Amino acid sequence: QVQLVESGGGLVQAGGSLSLSCAASGRSFSGYTMGWFRQAPGKEREFVARISWNTGTGYYGDSARGRFTISRDRTKNTVALQMDSLKPEDTAVYYCGAREGGEADFGSWGQGTQVTVSS
């Protein structure tokens, strides 16, 4: 089965940067879409970014566009989220997800990594 493990979260000051990594294993991810989502306490899960495993084309949610960059390394089986110009409202648990080609929903998730942005 698919295993996803996030890392790289931590405490950072507003305006700073942080890079998250998702280690993916369990199968070939050819044809998959990999994504980052976040959830703050008491809030609904929010889409942050997604990327095609095959092409590397990324897409971003409104809150991430222009500040965050998603990438994948097919050799290392990792998906990264580079977060710049962080704001306190970026504080959340960030989750890595995987969506199989042809599926409507992300079917696999990591355990999450906490990102806290102080002002």
Side-chain angles (χ1 to χ4, degrees):
Q1 82 279 47
V2 171
Q3 296 98 37
L4 305 172
V5 180
E6 303 95 333
S7 62
L11 175 63
V12 65
Q13 195 169 42
S17 298
L18 205 58
S19 183
L20 307 182
S21 182
C22 172
S25 62
R27 59 156 294 138
S28 169
F29 291 91
S30 179
Y32 272 65
T33 296
M34 311 298 287
W36 285 98
F37 296 76
R38 67 189 186 187
Q39 187 166 26
K43 305 296 183 181
E44 294 184 347
R45 184 177 62 185
E46 177 187 16
F47 167 73
V48 176
R50 69 178 191 267
I51 189 167
S52 165
W53 188 261
N54 288 1
T55 69
T57 300
Y59 299 87
Y60 299 89
D62 290 343
S63 64
R65 191 175 300 107
R67 298 188 299 128
F68 296 1
T69 303
I70 189 170
S71 62
R72 90 300 189 222
D73 187 330
R74 290 182 289 184
T75 300
K76 296 167 62 177
N77 270 196
T78 57
V79 182
L81 184 69
Q82 176 66 44
M83 304 186 293
D84 299 318
S85 302
L86 284 162
K87 307 172 181 179
E89 50 262 47
D90 295 318
T91 295
V93 177
Y94 283 69
Y95 296 93
C96 178
R99 184 178 71 199
E100 190 173 0
E103 291 184 352
D105 303 318
F106 285 78
S108 300
W109 299 93
Q111 83 288 350
T113 185
Q114 176 71 48
V115 172
T116 303
V117 184
S118 63
S119 58

